[in-house]
Amino acid sequence: KGSLGRKELYSELNTIDLCLQDLNWTGSSETFGVGALEEQALGIPVITNFRGGQPEVINDKKTGFIIKNKKSRDKALPCPLN
């Protein structure tokens, strides 16, 4: 949808049950984790990797899950992310 205003963003976020975020190990990562904070504030669990600011904003196994390496990611997800 492109850029969304805050009201529209939260309306869209309220339609999801789970967020897979930043699982690309070769690309850039979100340095602070604002997206993860917004999703958690709405009670949406976040699955992400151990990069950038994600480990600081996600309480592993409580507000989401932090995947520590590619091997764990490949075991956890039902399909490859290539």
Side-chain angles (χ1 to χ4, degrees):
K1 280 193 159 188
S3 181
L4 301 175
R6 182 132 331 258
K7 189 174 183 178
E8 191 176 16
L9 170 66
Y10 288 117
S11 176
E12 288 293 319
L13 285 175
N14 278 314
T15 67
I16 64 173
D17 297 315
L18 173 72
C19 178
L20 292 174
Q21 189 179 68
D22 196 28
L23 294 173
N24 182 356
W25 287 82
T26 58
S28 62
S29 64
E30 185 176 359
T31 56
F32 178 68
V34 173
L37 287 173
E38 291 174 326
E39 288 137 0
Q40 291 174 98
L42 295 171
I44 301 167
V46 178
I47 299 176
T48 190
N49 62 24
F50 197 80
R51 293 184 67 199
Q54 307 302 5
E56 285 79 29
V57 299
I58 294 174
N59 189 340
D60 195 27
K61 297 180 184 78
K62 290 190 178 183
T63 61
F65 298 92
I66 299 173
I67 298 174
K68 306 251 188 301
N69 56 50
K70 286 183 185 181
K71 187 175 181 180
S72 296
R73 178 199 68 189
D74 293 343
K75 283 181 173 180
L77 298 176
C79 60
L81 294 174
N82 295 333

